[in-house]
Amino acid sequence: MSAVNTMTAWQHVEIARHPQRPHSQAFISELFEDIFELHGDRHFADDRALFAAIARFEGIPVTVAGHIKGSDLNENISCNFGMPHPEGYRKFIRIAKQAEKFGRPVITFIDTPGAYPGAEAEERGQGEAIARCLFELSGLSVPIIAVVIGEGGSGGALAMSLADHIIMYEHAVYSVLSPEGFASILWKDPKRAEEASEVMKLSSADLAASGMADSIVSEPEGGAHKDAHRAIEALRPTLKKALSGLLLLDTQSLLEARYARYRGYGEQSEA
Amino acid sequence: MDILNMLRERKQRLSELARQRRDKRQAKARIVIKSRIDEVLDPRSAKRLFDTIRSSDPLLFPGYAEKTRDLVKRSGHPDAFICATGTIDSRQVVCAELLPEFMMGSMGTAVGEAVTRSAEYATRYHLPLIIFSASGGARMQEGMFSLMQMAKTSAAIRRFSDGGGLFISVLTHPTTGGVTASFASLGDIILAEPDALIGFAGPRVIEQTIGSSLPEGFQRSEFQLAHGFVDAIVKRDAMRVTLSQILKLHPEVRI
């Protein structure tokens, strides 16, 4: 934890993207029991970039979802490096609304470079799919907890992390766009990504300071990949605490607090 | 020969200076914006809303504060938006319009706040909400605060929708990124002006991803109509009549 202050933003980015960093599957299989995976958006396809299941966390039935990056090249390709298509977001909307019907909290694991910017994704309405996630999550009557475990890339991450409590891993990053994209838009030079990362305020400490992350989970020295088991287990008490706190709230207080949270970002008083 | 060269160099230097002066003058010139809100509302019915909102600079991004200050001065608008309440054929509505002339209509805290307040105002007074979008997406210079505006505006639209409000989203050229991926796609009725570029990722990014060029008309209004993402394509000069027709099909809520 002490090394965090001396680390550059780019070092966080590199750890967050480390190929051996534990991915959503590892977190879910370690921390949840009775996992029953759910497939498909009921409209078009099943998106392998986005995992969805019902399971138990500490005995409580929950709905769990996460971006899937894959742990070898074949897996990377089959799940599109964790970049969902619209059908992925629509699968998530489906299972989130199902969670609401059965009163299950929703827990999401965020680890994506972003929503896939491909031609077919556009044909099937990538923008609409993300917008619909935000619309549905903002009024969903069950608690939502998002855990940013690696890369929180732009709208593709936000679509699954409009939540009541946001947990960030120490070296995870969350940003408006990838540093490469940011540098490319503002300086017309994607090679200045490292420099961009230093001004973007994308580290867990930055997000905690701006009230966008509620808790930070410490990682083993050098990053979660140094001791994946220990890194994953470190989430259990934080997640348990956040969940039990949210389960105490009645629906109206939960929704009021969620609205106030997002309403507050950049709120200006009327002159 | 030397004299000829000298004369030529002098001529180049002078034309360079003239160009610089011209650029400087243009940089200071007023930005004239032809507002769609003015075109659709009944004459003299408009009352401007939320004019005091200003952008914030959470990243302290070099040059950003100066740039927005300059644009506020030159455009006469608070940021990349205009909000107003007024009437269309005597029916009271709330309108918001994003301004592509102001940093490509990008959504930072100011635009997010303006859209959110418009939705909240429309909720409070049971008025139909009309938003004309034109945007390059999230405003990079405000970092995560810009991204959060997507959630904030969508949450406000959700509340408005839950209250039974009518939201007509009008997509104009170009509507992309975080605006498409939030409130602009959440209209009860979605209209688009002809040939507007509408999408999540920009065409250049898609071409880089897929490694080939996109066909003619990709992501244009007609493409979005064919793929089921807009209800109708409406020419700018027919917008007022169309909006009026839709409004009349939604009986007024008396409070």
Short mmCIF file of all heavy atoms in Angstrom, two decimals, chain A residues 100-139:
data_model
loop_
_atom_site.label_atom_id
_atom_site.label_comp_id
_atom_site.label_asym_id
_atom_site.label_seq_id
_atom_site.Cartn_x
_atom_site.Cartn_y
_atom_site.Cartn_z
N GLU A 100 -33.94 -7.91 -10.29
CA GLU A 100 -34.93 -7.04 -9.66
C GLU A 100 -36.22 -7.83 -9.36
O GLU A 100 -36.77 -7.75 -8.27
CB GLU A 100 -35.23 -5.87 -10.59
CG GLU A 100 -36.24 -4.89 -10.06
CD GLU A 100 -36.41 -3.70 -11.00
OE1 GLU A 100 -36.63 -3.92 -12.21
OE2 GLU A 100 -36.32 -2.56 -10.51
N LYS A 101 -36.64 -8.63 -10.31
CA LYS A 101 -37.87 -9.42 -10.14
C LYS A 101 -37.77 -10.33 -8.92
O LYS A 101 -38.72 -10.47 -8.16
CB LYS A 101 -38.12 -10.23 -11.41
CG LYS A 101 -39.31 -11.17 -11.31
CD LYS A 101 -39.56 -11.92 -12.60
CE LYS A 101 -40.68 -12.95 -12.39
NZ LYS A 101 -40.89 -13.75 -13.61
N PHE A 102 -36.59 -10.95 -8.75
CA PHE A 102 -36.44 -11.91 -7.65
C PHE A 102 -35.73 -11.33 -6.43
O PHE A 102 -35.36 -12.06 -5.52
CB PHE A 102 -35.71 -13.16 -8.17
CG PHE A 102 -36.50 -13.90 -9.21
CD1 PHE A 102 -36.13 -13.85 -10.55
CD2 PHE A 102 -37.66 -14.59 -8.87
CE1 PHE A 102 -36.88 -14.50 -11.52
CE2 PHE A 102 -38.41 -15.24 -9.84
CZ PHE A 102 -38.03 -15.20 -11.17
N GLY A 103 -35.57 -10.01 -6.43
CA GLY A 103 -35.02 -9.34 -5.25
C GLY A 103 -33.56 -9.68 -4.96
O GLY A 103 -33.15 -9.66 -3.80
N ARG A 104 -32.80 -9.98 -5.99
CA ARG A 104 -31.39 -10.33 -5.77
C ARG A 104 -30.51 -9.10 -6.00
O ARG A 104 -30.68 -8.40 -7.01
CB ARG A 104 -30.94 -11.38 -6.80
CG ARG A 104 -31.46 -12.77 -6.58
CD ARG A 104 -30.71 -13.75 -7.50
NE ARG A 104 -31.03 -13.57 -8.91
CZ ARG A 104 -31.93 -14.31 -9.58
NH1 ARG A 104 -32.59 -15.27 -8.96
NH2 ARG A 104 -32.15 -14.11 -10.85
N PRO A 105 -29.54 -8.87 -5.13
CA PRO A 105 -28.56 -7.81 -5.42
C PRO A 105 -27.75 -8.17 -6.67
O PRO A 105 -27.62 -9.34 -7.01
CB PRO A 105 -27.65 -7.83 -4.19
CG PRO A 105 -28.39 -8.60 -3.14
CD PRO A 105 -29.29 -9.55 -3.85
N VAL A 106 -27.23 -7.13 -7.32
CA VAL A 106 -26.40 -7.32 -8.52
C VAL A 106 -24.96 -6.94 -8.19
O VAL A 106 -24.71 -5.87 -7.63
CB VAL A 106 -26.91 -6.44 -9.68
CG1 VAL A 106 -26.01 -6.56 -10.90
CG2 VAL A 106 -28.35 -6.82 -10.05
N ILE A 107 -24.03 -7.84 -8.52
CA ILE A 107 -22.61 -7.57 -8.31
C ILE A 107 -21.89 -7.70 -9.65
O ILE A 107 -22.05 -8.71 -10.33
CB ILE A 107 -22.01 -8.55 -7.28
CG1 ILE A 107 -22.72 -8.39 -5.92
CG2 ILE A 107 -20.49 -8.31 -7.12
CD1 ILE A 107 -22.44 -9.51 -4.92
N THR A 108 -21.17 -6.65 -10.04
CA THR A 108 -20.49 -6.70 -11.34
C THR A 108 -18.98 -6.57 -11.18
O THR A 108 -18.49 -5.90 -10.26
CB THR A 108 -20.98 -5.57 -12.28
OG1 THR A 108 -20.59 -4.31 -11.75
CG2 THR A 108 -22.48 -5.59 -12.47
N PHE A 109 -18.26 -7.22 -12.07
CA PHE A 109 -16.80 -7.14 -12.12
C PHE A 109 -16.39 -6.43 -13.41
O PHE A 109 -16.74 -6.87 -14.50
CB PHE A 109 -16.18 -8.54 -12.03
CG PHE A 109 -16.35 -9.14 -10.66
CD1 PHE A 109 -17.52 -9.83 -10.31
CD2 PHE A 109 -15.38 -8.96 -9.69
CE1 PHE A 109 -17.69 -10.34 -9.04
CE2 PHE A 109 -15.54 -9.47 -8.41
CZ PHE A 109 -16.71 -10.16 -8.09
N ILE A 110 -15.69 -5.32 -13.25
CA ILE A 110 -15.38 -4.44 -14.38
C ILE A 110 -13.93 -4.64 -14.81
O ILE A 110 -13.01 -4.45 -14.01
CB ILE A 110 -15.60 -2.96 -13.98
CG1 ILE A 110 -17.00 -2.73 -13.39
CG2 ILE A 110 -15.33 -2.03 -15.16
CD1 ILE A 110 -18.15 -3.11 -14.27
N ASP A 111 -13.76 -5.02 -16.05
CA ASP A 111 -12.41 -5.21 -16.59
C ASP A 111 -12.48 -5.21 -18.11
O ASP A 111 -12.53 -6.27 -18.74
CB ASP A 111 -11.83 -6.54 -16.07
CG ASP A 111 -10.35 -6.69 -16.38
OD1 ASP A 111 -9.71 -5.68 -16.73
OD2 ASP A 111 -9.84 -7.82 -16.27
N THR A 112 -12.51 -4.04 -18.69
CA THR A 112 -12.69 -3.95 -20.15
C THR A 112 -11.93 -2.75 -20.71
O THR A 112 -11.91 -1.68 -20.09
CB THR A 112 -14.19 -3.81 -20.50
OG1 THR A 112 -14.34 -3.72 -21.92
CG2 THR A 112 -14.82 -2.58 -19.87
N PRO A 113 -11.33 -2.92 -21.90
CA PRO A 113 -10.76 -1.74 -22.55
C PRO A 113 -11.86 -0.79 -23.02
O PRO A 113 -11.62 0.39 -23.23
CB PRO A 113 -10.02 -2.32 -23.77
CG PRO A 113 -9.92 -3.79 -23.52
CD PRO A 113 -11.08 -4.16 -22.66
N GLY A 114 -13.09 -1.33 -23.20
CA GLY A 114 -14.21 -0.50 -23.62
C GLY A 114 -15.20 -1.33 -24.41
O GLY A 114 -14.96 -2.51 -24.68
N ALA A 115 -16.32 -0.73 -24.78
CA ALA A 115 -17.28 -1.40 -25.65
C ALA A 115 -16.64 -1.56 -27.02
O ALA A 115 -15.88 -0.68 -27.45
CB ALA A 115 -18.55 -0.58 -25.76
N TYR A 116 -16.93 -2.66 -27.72
CA TYR A 116 -16.24 -2.93 -28.98
C TYR A 116 -16.61 -1.91 -30.05
O TYR A 116 -17.79 -1.74 -30.38
CB TYR A 116 -16.57 -4.34 -29.46
CG TYR A 116 -15.73 -4.75 -30.65
CD1 TYR A 116 -14.35 -4.81 -30.54
CD2 TYR A 116 -16.31 -5.07 -31.87
CE1 TYR A 116 -13.56 -5.17 -31.61
CE2 TYR A 116 -15.52 -5.44 -32.95
CZ TYR A 116 -14.14 -5.49 -32.82
OH TYR A 116 -13.36 -5.85 -33.88
N PRO A 117 -15.61 -1.23 -30.62
CA PRO A 117 -15.91 -0.22 -31.65
C PRO A 117 -15.86 -0.80 -33.07
O PRO A 117 -15.11 -0.33 -33.91
CB PRO A 117 -14.80 0.82 -31.44
CG PRO A 117 -13.63 0.02 -30.94
CD PRO A 117 -14.19 -1.22 -30.26
N GLY A 118 -16.65 -1.81 -33.33
CA GLY A 118 -16.64 -2.45 -34.65
C GLY A 118 -17.90 -2.11 -35.46
O GLY A 118 -18.85 -1.52 -34.94
N ALA A 119 -17.88 -2.49 -36.72
CA ALA A 119 -18.98 -2.15 -37.63
C ALA A 119 -20.29 -2.85 -37.23
O ALA A 119 -21.35 -2.23 -37.21
CB ALA A 119 -18.62 -2.51 -39.06
N GLU A 120 -20.19 -4.14 -36.88
CA GLU A 120 -21.41 -4.87 -36.50
C GLU A 120 -21.99 -4.36 -35.19
O GLU A 120 -23.21 -4.33 -35.01
CB GLU A 120 -21.12 -6.37 -36.42
CG GLU A 120 -20.86 -6.97 -37.79
CD GLU A 120 -20.48 -8.44 -37.74
OE1 GLU A 120 -20.45 -9.02 -36.62
OE2 GLU A 120 -20.22 -8.99 -38.81
N ALA A 121 -21.10 -3.98 -34.28
CA ALA A 121 -21.57 -3.41 -33.01
C ALA A 121 -22.40 -2.15 -33.29
O ALA A 121 -23.41 -1.90 -32.65
CB ALA A 121 -20.39 -3.10 -32.11
N GLU A 122 -21.97 -1.37 -34.27
CA GLU A 122 -22.71 -0.16 -34.63
C GLU A 122 -24.05 -0.51 -35.28
O GLU A 122 -25.07 0.10 -34.96
CB GLU A 122 -21.88 0.70 -35.59
CG GLU A 122 -20.66 1.35 -34.96
CD GLU A 122 -20.99 2.38 -33.89
OE1 GLU A 122 -21.95 3.14 -34.08
OE2 GLU A 122 -20.30 2.39 -32.86
N GLU A 123 -24.02 -1.51 -36.14
CA GLU A 123 -25.26 -1.91 -36.83
C GLU A 123 -26.32 -2.37 -35.82
O GLU A 123 -27.51 -2.21 -36.04
CB GLU A 123 -24.98 -3.05 -37.81
CG GLU A 123 -24.27 -2.60 -39.06
CD GLU A 123 -23.82 -3.75 -39.94
OE1 GLU A 123 -23.99 -4.93 -39.55
OE2 GLU A 123 -23.27 -3.47 -41.02
N ARG A 124 -25.85 -2.96 -34.72
CA ARG A 124 -26.81 -3.47 -33.74
C ARG A 124 -27.04 -2.49 -32.58
O ARG A 124 -27.69 -2.84 -31.61
CB ARG A 124 -26.31 -4.83 -33.21
CG ARG A 124 -26.19 -5.86 -34.34
CD ARG A 124 -26.19 -7.28 -33.83
NE ARG A 124 -24.93 -7.70 -33.21
CZ ARG A 124 -23.88 -8.19 -33.90
NH1 ARG A 124 -23.94 -8.29 -35.19
NH2 ARG A 124 -22.80 -8.56 -33.25
N GLY A 125 -26.49 -1.29 -32.69
CA GLY A 125 -26.84 -0.24 -31.73
C GLY A 125 -26.05 -0.25 -30.44
O GLY A 125 -26.62 -0.29 -29.35
N GLN A 126 -24.72 -0.15 -30.56
CA GLN A 126 -23.88 -0.12 -29.35
C GLN A 126 -24.27 1.04 -28.43
O GLN A 126 -24.36 0.87 -27.22
CB GLN A 126 -22.41 0.01 -29.79
CG GLN A 126 -21.39 -0.18 -28.70
CD GLN A 126 -21.26 -1.62 -28.23
OE1 GLN A 126 -22.16 -2.14 -27.56
NE2 GLN A 126 -20.17 -2.27 -28.56
N GLY A 127 -24.51 2.20 -29.01
CA GLY A 127 -24.88 3.36 -28.19
C GLY A 127 -26.19 3.15 -27.45
O GLY A 127 -26.30 3.41 -26.25
N GLU A 128 -27.18 2.64 -28.16
CA GLU A 128 -28.48 2.40 -27.53
C GLU A 128 -28.36 1.36 -26.42
O GLU A 128 -28.98 1.50 -25.36
CB GLU A 128 -29.49 1.93 -28.60
CG GLU A 128 -30.93 1.96 -28.16
CD GLU A 128 -31.40 0.72 -27.40
OE1 GLU A 128 -30.71 -0.32 -27.43
OE2 GLU A 128 -32.44 0.79 -26.73
N ALA A 129 -27.54 0.33 -26.64
CA ALA A 129 -27.41 -0.74 -25.64
C ALA A 129 -26.81 -0.20 -24.34
O ALA A 129 -27.27 -0.52 -23.24
CB ALA A 129 -26.55 -1.87 -26.20
N ILE A 130 -25.79 0.66 -24.47
CA ILE A 130 -25.16 1.24 -23.28
C ILE A 130 -26.13 2.20 -22.59
O ILE A 130 -26.30 2.18 -21.37
CB ILE A 130 -23.84 1.95 -23.65
CG1 ILE A 130 -22.82 0.90 -24.13
CG2 ILE A 130 -23.28 2.74 -22.47
CD1 ILE A 130 -21.56 1.49 -24.74
N ALA A 131 -26.80 3.03 -23.40
CA ALA A 131 -27.77 3.98 -22.84
C ALA A 131 -28.85 3.24 -22.06
O ALA A 131 -29.26 3.66 -20.97
CB ALA A 131 -28.40 4.80 -23.97
N ARG A 132 -29.31 2.12 -22.61
CA ARG A 132 -30.37 1.35 -21.96
C ARG A 132 -29.89 0.76 -20.64
O ARG A 132 -30.64 0.69 -19.66
CB ARG A 132 -30.86 0.25 -22.92
CG ARG A 132 -32.20 -0.37 -22.59
CD ARG A 132 -33.35 0.59 -22.53
NE ARG A 132 -33.53 1.37 -23.75
CZ ARG A 132 -34.43 2.35 -23.89
NH1 ARG A 132 -35.26 2.66 -22.90
NH2 ARG A 132 -34.52 3.01 -25.02
N CYS A 133 -28.62 0.34 -20.58
CA CYS A 133 -28.05 -0.14 -19.31
C CYS A 133 -28.15 0.95 -18.25
O CYS A 133 -28.57 0.71 -17.11
CB CYS A 133 -26.57 -0.51 -19.46
SG CYS A 133 -26.25 -2.07 -20.27
N LEU A 134 -27.74 2.18 -18.63
CA LEU A 134 -27.73 3.28 -17.68
C LEU A 134 -29.14 3.60 -17.21
O LEU A 134 -29.40 3.84 -16.04
CB LEU A 134 -27.07 4.52 -18.31
CG LEU A 134 -25.62 4.33 -18.78
CD1 LEU A 134 -25.13 5.58 -19.50
CD2 LEU A 134 -24.71 4.00 -17.60
N PHE A 135 -30.07 3.59 -18.17
CA PHE A 135 -31.48 3.87 -17.87
C PHE A 135 -32.02 2.83 -16.89
O PHE A 135 -32.63 3.18 -15.87
CB PHE A 135 -32.25 3.82 -19.19
CG PHE A 135 -33.71 4.17 -19.10
CD1 PHE A 135 -34.12 5.49 -19.20
CD2 PHE A 135 -34.68 3.18 -18.94
CE1 PHE A 135 -35.47 5.83 -19.13
CE2 PHE A 135 -36.02 3.52 -18.88
CZ PHE A 135 -36.42 4.84 -18.98
N GLU A 136 -31.77 1.56 -17.17
CA GLU A 136 -32.32 0.49 -16.32
C GLU A 136 -31.65 0.46 -14.95
O GLU A 136 -32.32 0.35 -13.92
CB GLU A 136 -32.19 -0.87 -17.01
CG GLU A 136 -33.04 -1.02 -18.27
CD GLU A 136 -34.55 -0.92 -18.02
OE1 GLU A 136 -34.99 -0.99 -16.86
OE2 GLU A 136 -35.29 -0.73 -19.01
N LEU A 137 -30.32 0.56 -14.93
CA LEU A 137 -29.62 0.48 -13.65
C LEU A 137 -29.99 1.66 -12.75
O LEU A 137 -30.07 1.50 -11.53
CB LEU A 137 -28.10 0.45 -13.84
CG LEU A 137 -27.50 -0.81 -14.49
CD1 LEU A 137 -25.99 -0.75 -14.46
CD2 LEU A 137 -27.98 -2.09 -13.80
N SER A 138 -30.22 2.83 -13.34
CA SER A 138 -30.49 4.00 -12.49
C SER A 138 -31.79 3.84 -11.71
O SER A 138 -31.95 4.47 -10.67
CB SER A 138 -30.51 5.28 -13.32
OG SER A 138 -31.63 5.31 -14.17
N GLY A 139 -32.69 2.98 -12.19
CA GLY A 139 -33.94 2.80 -11.45
C GLY A 139 -34.14 1.39 -10.92
O GLY A 139 -35.24 1.05 -10.47
#
